Amino acid sequence: MAKEGRIIYINGPVVRADQMEGFLMQELVYVGEAKLIGEIIELAGDTATIQVYEETTGMTPGEPVYSTGSPLSVELGPGIIGNIFDGIQRPLAEIKERTGAFIERGVAVTPLDREKEWDIEIKVKAGDRVEPGQVVAELAETSVIRHRVMVPPGLSGEVKLVVPDGRYSVEQEIVHLVDDSGQEKVIKLYQEWPVREPRPYRERLSITKPLLTGQRVFDTFFPLAKGGTAAIPGGFGAGKTMTQHQLAKWSDADIIVYVGCGERGNEMTDVLEEFPELEDPRTGKSMMERTVLIANTSNMPVAAREASIYTGITIAEYYRDMGYSVALMADSTSRWAEALREISGRLEEMPAEEGFPAYLPTRLAEFYERAGYIKTLGQEREGSISLIGAVSPPGGDFSEPVTQNTKRFVRCFWALDKSLASARHFPAVSWLESYSEYLGELADWLQENINEEWLEHRNWAMRILKEEDRLQEIVKLVGEDVLPDNQRLILEVARLIKVGFLQQNAFSEVDRYATPEKQYWMLKIIHFLYEQALPLIRENIPISRIKDNELFSEIIKMKEKIANDELEKFKDLMTRIEEHFNAVRANYQD
């Protein structure tokens, strides 16, 4: 007989019920006559506190609470890629068919299509010994993603029976095995996994490879590693969402999981409309062929924001276990933190700074530590999850708790500057406030695979930008004309770096994506110009003679004029720079 409790207290998404003997902590329950989805977050005697992931308006004390006996879980199997889910993994397309444009309370929809059949290829035979994570079947989930059906964690044994290759639905049993305790178990095309429990792996590996994005400010100045963590903080209008869209489109991850956590509906609509139409630069097919979208908008129940974050990371871990490189975009973690603050307030917990719960740092740490580069169970494939979380500090104040606590747990900090965004400088990443702690670990790969001088050029450019920032304070007071020519040269070269290198046009066919090799050559050109001009300054040749507007304009436009496969043109540009400065020296001496 199913266990059943009774509601005694309702406060928004927080519900208390008694007669809850035998219920479990973090158990998934159905709340009220409408059977709303909830999760037990506190147990005291026979009284339970439940966090409800749907709107509780109209619910009354005395309504029942039904037990499921299992924790809040997601279904992991074919059909996830290309789908659009809400925060508790209900497919929005199917909900729309049932309820129209608005999600009705208590609507029950299975996450994976039970009717659709998949062409599967069996990878084991009767008598084989199988271990957790081992692949027992494969199928084409999309035209670009090969789905690997794995033995669930914690299960091992001898295969007793397998079905022949053919078409099967996710509910059909494809492998029977006898486990180590002598019990018969079955494997289907999907498995369930509790969202709050990290999926196991064999070994965490050192981070050595970059997650290449084609965006110069990230790849060259502040690189993120595969398996790394990054935060994108910025005030309203600074470009967090657009930056994440660009990273999702162009990063070299195999699979993208995009979580819209408490975002405005129009921003999620942009994602939902744009991604299916977008051509994947890697395959030439639709971007949705390797993308999962989880849409939780600001008008959806607040508590569901937390579920959306955990749903996203669990799906990412599942594909990581297949040996894929996964990039998860969380937009934004501040909305999740606000949900924690609201739930904490309704629970009457003692608040910490700015009303956020004292356990905010712990929740953020638990989320970000699920990133990593790992060796999987089973056949020991290598997989990774790279986490990129947007942070929305009110008024762009980076001293607020969510930004500061996020900073403790991420190793890549891409700070957005509202003044850059207002000046139409995209991506609006501040080169003075941003940093990457992965530079040391990635230096060997970048020097080996791009060029030995890569780090030298990058560090030189950072020195120029920092010196230019210092000089701008003087310029604001007394003007540029009073500066000596060697400092005026720094201002001119810094402008080339900012406009010619760091600024990137997302709508340009040529400039929207730059290969690492092109990025190296662009920075090398600017560095070469500086090294050619500096000796002339020392020879007391005035900067008005040295600077050629046409040449400087050509260097700024090289990002548009020189395509990724036309690197030989950079050598021609270097020759032109050298000839120009040789002519300046000869003319001045004459």
Side-chain angles (χ1 to χ4, degrees):
M1 181 177 175
K3 297 187 286 291
E4 189 175 310
R6 291 286 157 185
I7 295 172
I8 57 174
Y9 169 92
I10 303 165
N11 184 359
V14 175
V15 170
R16 287 199 179 97
D18 62 7
Q19 304 176 30
M20 299 289 284
E21 301 94 340
F23 282 73
L24 304 172
M25 187 66 178
Q26 294 185 345
E27 180 181 347
L28 173 70
V29 292
Y30 294 118
V31 183
E33 300 291 355
K35 292 191 175 181
L36 309 184
I37 293 175
E39 182 184 19
I40 295 177
I41 58 175
E42 188 178 287
L43 276 172
D46 70 342
T47 302
T49 303
I50 302 164
Q51 179 172 271
V52 183
Y53 293 125
E54 299 184 72
E55 182 60 55
T56 58
T57 302
M59 186 181 290
T60 59
E63 292 189 37
V65 176
Y66 303 100
S67 169
T68 65
S70 61
L72 179 64
S73 303
V74 291
E75 290 185 359
L76 303 170
I80 291 177
I81 299 290
N83 217 327
I84 303 165
F85 300 102
D86 72 353
I88 43 182
Q89 210 202 6
R90 297 181 299 186
L92 294 181
E94 190 167 340
I95 291 177
K96 182 182 177 183
E97 288 181 9
R98 295 195 185 190
T99 69
F102 295 92
I103 302 175
E104 292 183 3
R105 297 189 311 150
V107 60
V109 183
T110 56
L112 300 179
D113 189 339
R114 296 297 194 266
E115 304 299 324
K116 183 173 181 177
E117 292 186 336
W118 303 87
D119 280 312
I120 73 165
E121 181 183 347
I122 299 295
K123 295 294 184 180
V124 293
K125 60 184 185 300
D128 286 354
R129 168 83 184 174
V130 293
E131 302 293 338
Q134 185 170 336
V135 176
V136 297
E138 285 191 8
L139 56 96
E141 184 168 3
T142 70
S143 62
V144 298
I145 296 297
R146 192 80 179 156
H147 192 105
R148 301 176 179 116
V149 182
M150 299 171 288
V151 179
L155 179 61
S156 60
E158 183 179 317
V159 176
K160 181 180 178 183
L161 176 70
V162 297
V163 297
D165 294 352
R167 294 178 64 82
Y168 299 91
S169 68
V170 294
E171 279 284 17
Q172 289 179 275
E173 300 166 359
I174 60 168
V175 175
H176 290 243
L177 58 85
V178 178
D179 69 10
D180 295 336
S181 65
Q183 294 183 319
E184 186 171 327
K185 303 286 185 180
V186 298
I187 297 176
K188 300 179 180 180
L189 292 186
Y190 78 100
Q191 55 185 268
E192 294 186 356
W193 191 262
V195 296
R196 294 184 184 272
E197 182 182 339
R199 286 177 63 87
Y201 49 83
R202 185 175 298 274
E203 179 185 356
R204 187 178 284 266
L205 302 174
S206 299
I207 286 174
T208 58
K209 299 176 183 176
L211 182 74
L212 298 173
T213 67
Q215 312 307 299
R216 293 184 288 271
V217 68
F218 300 133
D219 292 352
T220 298
F221 275 51
F222 312 110
L224 172 63
K226 281 188 176 177
T229 53
I232 309 180
F236 179 79
K240 298 180 297 298
T241 300
M242 294 309 299
T243 302
Q244 285 202 316
H245 287 191
Q246 197 72 352
L247 293 171
K249 294 173 192 175
W250 298 105
S251 65
D252 68 341
D254 299 316
I255 290 170
I256 302 296
V257 179
Y258 193 99
V259 181
C261 178
E263 284 303 292
R264 291 176 295 281
N266 61 324
E267 291 190 357
M268 283 310 301
T269 301
D270 286 343
V271 178
L272 302 182
E273 289 182 346
E274 185 178 336
F275 272 51
E277 300 295 326
L278 186 72
E279 182 180 302
D280 186 349
R282 303 176 69 188
T283 63
K285 299 180 179 178
S286 169
M287 191 71 197
M288 289 301 292
E289 298 264 317
R290 60 182 183 95
T291 302
V292 184
L293 297 178
I294 298 172
N296 175 267
T297 56
S298 53
N299 65 331
M300 291 181 178
V302 168
R305 296 179 185 178
E306 184 170 21
S308 68
I309 288 287
Y310 287 110
T311 295
I313 190 64
T314 305
I315 288 172
E317 287 176 335
Y318 178 61
Y319 285 96
R320 173 207 68 186
D321 293 346
M322 295 184 199
Y324 290 115
S325 165
V326 184
L328 185 144
M329 314 288 167
D331 186 13
S332 92
T333 56
S334 291
R335 308 282 177 257
W336 169 34
E338 288 166 8
L340 292 177
R341 179 167 60 185
E342 178 166 339
I343 298 297
S344 177
R346 292 181 184 273
L347 292 172
E348 300 176 358
E349 296 173 336
M350 182 68 74
E353 188 179 1
E354 294 191 19
F356 288 103
Y359 48 79
L360 173 65
T362 304
R363 294 290 179 86
L364 288 171
E366 288 173 348
F367 172 63
Y368 282 107
E369 73 179 3
R370 289 173 76 166
Y373 196 93
I374 59 99
K375 186 177 289 186
T376 68
L377 300 175
Q379 283 99 332
E380 297 192 7
R381 300 170 295 274
E382 290 184 1
S384 68
I385 297 177
S386 308
L387 288 186
I388 302 170
V391 186
S392 308
D397 177 15
F398 290 177
S399 66
E400 60 88 39
V402 181
T403 308
Q404 286 301 308
N405 283 302
T406 299
K407 213 170 181 181
R408 294 166 57 188
F409 308 120
V410 300
R411 298 187 59 202
C412 208
F413 192 75
W414 295 330
L416 299 184
D417 188 327
K418 184 66 182 292
S419 63
L420 287 176
S422 300
R424 299 296 186 266
H425 180 110
F426 179 84
V429 176
S430 168
W431 44 84
L432 299 174
E433 293 186 81
S434 303
Y435 62 83
S436 171
E437 295 177 2
Y438 295 112
L439 275 170
E441 288 140 302
L442 299 178
D444 288 345
W445 188 96
L446 292 163
Q447 288 171 334
E448 181 180 335
N449 291 274
I450 300 173
N451 194 283
E452 294 177 351
E453 300 173 355
W454 170 84
L455 195 58
E456 175 192 338
H457 294 313
R458 183 261 177 202
N459 290 342
W460 165 81
M462 284 300 298
R463 288 194 300 271
I464 290 290
L465 291 171
K466 287 178 180 177
E467 178 64 13
E468 186 257 0
D469 183 64
R470 186 185 70 82
L471 293 174
Q472 285 294 351
E473 297 299 319
I474 301 172
V475 170
K476 288 173 186 175
L477 291 173
V478 295
E480 184 178 331
D481 293 341
V482 302
L483 294 178
D485 279 356
N486 63 325
Q487 293 182 345
R488 292 180 68 185
L489 176 64
I490 287 174
L491 296 180
E492 293 292 346
V493 171
R495 179 173 173 271
L496 291 180
I497 296 171
K498 290 189 289 186
V499 180
F501 185 83
L502 294 176
Q503 191 174 17
Q504 203 158 344
N505 186 351
F507 297 102
S508 165
E509 290 286 337
V510 175
D511 193 37
R512 62 188 181 184
Y513 180 89
T515 62
E517 293 77 15
K518 179 179 175 179
Q519 296 180 40
Y520 159 76
W521 271 103
M522 288 176 67
L523 206 54
K524 181 183 175 71
I525 287 289
I526 300 171
H527 193 178
F528 180 73
L529 179 141
Y530 177 77
E531 290 182 331
Q532 290 289 307
L534 190 59
L536 302 188
I537 295 286
R538 290 171 178 161
E539 294 171 20
N540 295 320
I541 300 175
I543 194 167
S544 57
R545 293 280 192 94
I546 292 172
K547 183 186 175 186
D548 178 76
N549 289 330
E550 185 180 336
L551 178 63
F552 275 54
S553 177
E554 189 176 343
I555 290 172
I556 287 175
K557 292 177 181 176
M558 64 183 172
K559 58 186 180 183
E560 291 275 5
K561 299 295 186 183
I562 302 178
N564 290 316
D565 57 355
E566 297 177 334
L567 301 182
E568 67 282 351
K569 290 185 178 181
F570 285 110
K571 295 179 181 178
D572 297 337
L573 187 54
M574 285 183 74
T575 302
R576 176 154 151 57
I577 292 169
E578 190 171 16
E579 289 173 350
H580 165 72
F581 287 120
N582 287 339
V584 169
R585 178 181 280 110
N587 292 337
Y588 193 75
Q589 288 172 348
D590 290 344

